[in-house]
Amino acid sequence: MPTEPVPVEAVHPNPTVEQVIRHRLSTALGGWRGSLEAAAPMVAFVVVWTWQKDVMTAVVAAGVLTVVLAVVAVIQKQSLQFILSAVFATAVAAFFALRSGRAEDAFLPGILTSAAWGVGTLVSVLVRWPVVGFMVGAGDPRMAEDPFAWRRDPGLVRVCQRLTLVLVALYAVRVAIMLPLYFAQQVAWLGVAKVALGWPAWVVAVAVMGWILVRGNTPQVVPAPDSDVTWQDQHDQHHRPT
């Protein structure tokens, strides 16, 4: 007597650590618009300074563009998250530039921030509390009750260690390129580097992370509560009618 086939959903294995991480990080990364809003004020600063050679005029131009972006976002009912971060970054950069009267000092806070993040992410790897792990943990359904649940899966910690090293490399490249330009007072090239090492560099970093996650096949030691959701997303993608 033939037996009925058992539904695949009834016997599916737990998704790998990499699949769970991909599922959670997919909602944690900003898109192109947010990166554009964050970078645009500094681009305006560089363009106006190159044209007028006046720090105050360049700062005003960056501030005006920030206000315009905020107004457009409000009209379109978009999030102000990245614009607000740009306001803070622009204000700090303006303070440094106006205080010294040197346009290159507008980039010093960003360089110092990248250096600090680079050191911080490296230390997080050395002490086995990788920064990416906190990003992954933020998407855990248990976050409110158990914010460090991700730490109980050694496989997840190992993968997050490798992903965090990608961020360490990103910050190291930023400092290695921009610091010599700062000391050489190359304002125009600092502006180019600021843009190139912003969103484009993040795209490269995310691509490397994606490569690590696609190639990896680390089993979950402690299955996550959203494992079924993660697996179902993968199953639906593979069985979606064309």
Side-chain angles (χ1 to χ4, degrees), residues 56-158:
M56 177 61 77
T57 303
V59 168
V60 171
V64 169
L65 180 57
T66 303
V67 172
V68 171
L69 290 174
V71 171
V72 171
V74 170
I75 292 174
Q76 296 181 347
K77 298 181 179 179
Q78 298 289 330
S79 172
L80 293 174
Q81 174 185 353
F82 295 101
I83 296 176
L84 292 176
S85 67
V87 169
F88 177 77
T90 302
V92 174
F95 172 78
F96 274 73
L98 291 173
R99 183 179 181 183
S100 68
R102 302 189 307 171
E104 63 268 21
D105 283 349
F107 297 90
L108 185 58
I111 296 172
L112 295 177
T113 300
S114 291
W117 272 106
V119 172
T121 50
L122 179 59
V123 170
S124 77
V125 171
L126 295 177
V127 299
R128 293 186 59 78
W129 282 82
V131 167
V132 173
F134 291 95
M135 297 170 62
V136 173
D140 193 328
R142 298 167 293 187
M143 176 64 183
E145 296 80 18
D146 190 0
F148 305 123
W150 60 274
R151 283 277 304 160
R152 289 199 290 272
D153 191 323
L156 191 148
V157 173
R158 284 196 304 272

Side-chain angles (χ1 to χ4, degrees), residues 21-43:
I21 292 176
R22 287 204 307 268
H23 175 73
R24 293 181 183 173
L25 289 184
S26 64
T27 58
L29 301 174
W32 66 267
R33 176 168 179 156
S35 299
L36 177 62
E37 291 172 343
M42 191 57 71
V43 173

